[in-house]
Amino acid sequence: MTASQNPRSSLLLVGEPGDHLRRYLHTHVPASAQWQVRSFPTVEAVLAEAPHEAPNLAVVVCPQEDALLCFDLHHLLEHAKRRWPYTFFIVVSLQPLRHPEALFERFGEMPVVDLSAASDLGAVIEREMASGTYGLVRGVSLPSFLQVMAWEHKSLSIRVESPQGWGRLHLLRGQLVGAYSNVSRREGEAAALEILSWESVSLRIERSYHNGRGGELRDLQHLLMDAMKLKDEDAKQGGDLLGDLLFDDGPESGGADELGLDLGLDLGLDLGQRRPGPPTSNIGETLGAAMRELDGAHAVSLVDYQIGMALETQGTGFDFDAAAATYTTVVRAQLQLMESLGLGDGPEDILITLKDQYHILALVPNEPLFLHLVLSRREGNLAVARSTLGALGHQLVVM
């Protein structure tokens, strides 16, 4: 996964007293020599001289010692909501701001740093400039990218483009908290379900000015499964089932340039029933052999990673559907990575190690399938399980 960047990253310093920060960066942060750095004494100067500059990062000094939200910063962020959708911000305070959550609630999360700690501020600026958390995302599907953002607890907005139109998903510390579809003018969960059902999408990361609004949506995997179901039912009935989920909030404002990256989100299965297995096969016997032959085997399933569903399962007390959807994302991401690096035909298996369990994903040769084994760490033998599961995958007959 990569994000495209401008040929030369742009940094804006606003309200900096005496140009000290710019000199500090020049002396102590070697990477700053590669940045285009501009300083302005006030927000008014920025808006007068460079209202369309849209830097990668803006560092704004808020001089009021007792301000809840300094007016100048407020004014610049309102401007950025309309004109700088890809710009990230760092707030610098002469003294710690009281109740910065008011700032985050209105404009989304951003770092707040004490100006007296110059080295800390320099490190934060360097990290934000180098992180690549802006621009066009390449080489990863929407579900995979959302999973990565959840792991990294990111707070941002993802603009999703498709042939139907565009929409946005808003994340707060990795949790999906809001969505908007410009196609239907929906917000909230209805919009998230619609966006997750789109095909041939492209992604661009933006600053989120809306991720402090409302509450958390349901878990991503549940939303993805519901999006598949609704898309399939909508196709069968020729109707607009998502219309039943309309939310009352008005559409968000803002826009961005059109994109053209095809990331191929392949959805479209009715999850009300498990997809039936092939009429003649040895799937049941293969899963049964894994449960019988492997000490510590708690559950096993055969998953189609093109659709993210379990074709057949054995074992009890385990959410096979949720696991299939989650690990489909893992397998797809690994296969994309192997292909992009030119590392042959892909992995034989993928191991996920938990506190008490191993989860082994053994890919079936020449099929878009993998065997998922849940193995007790205390009772099972990992080496034997991987060898046995690989052999069973080669013997599997799918017709």
Side-chain angles (χ1 to χ4, degrees), residues 3 7 10 53 65 72 86 96 108-109 126 160 201-202 211 260 274 313 319 346 352 354 361 368 389:
S10 173
E53 181 166 315
E65 296 183 359
D72 284 349
Y86 313 130
E109 286 203 338
E126 184 173 21
V160 184
V201 299
S202 58
N211 63 10
R274 179 164 293 156
T313 68
D319 191 340
I352 293 93
L354 306 180
L361 315 179
L389 210 60

Side-chain angles (χ1 to χ4, degrees), residues 318-332:
F318 187 75
D319 191 340
F320 289 102
D321 288 333
T326 299
Y327 287 138
T328 286
T329 301
V330 174
V331 169
R332 287 177 178 175

Side-chain angles (χ1 to χ4, degrees), residues 249-305:
D249 294 336
E252 67 175 67
S253 62
D257 296 335
E258 294 184 358
L259 307 174
L261 177 63
D262 182 359
L263 297 181
L265 183 60
D266 183 17
L267 305 174
L269 181 71
D270 183 350
L271 300 189
Q273 298 179 350
R274 179 164 293 156
R275 183 187 181 190
T280 304
S281 69
N282 68 347
I283 296 176
E285 292 85 347
T286 299
L287 301 187
M291 293 293 290
R292 290 192 307 272
E293 297 176 13
L294 295 173
D295 293 336
H298 288 180
V300 65
S301 62
L302 179 66
V303 178
D304 185 329
Y305 60 77

Side-chain angles (χ1 to χ4, degrees), residues 85-101:
Y86 313 130
T87 296
F88 282 75
F89 282 83
I90 295 175
V91 179
V92 179
S93 174
L94 296 181
Q95 292 187 6
L97 289 176
R98 293 184 293 179
H99 309 296
E101 61 273 9

Side-chain angles (χ1 to χ4, degrees), residues 97-114:
L97 289 176
R98 293 184 293 179
H99 309 296
E101 61 273 9
L103 181 69
F104 301 155
E105 179 68 22
R106 182 157 188 166
F107 298 107
E109 286 203 338
M110 61 193 76
V112 178
V113 185
D114 188 345

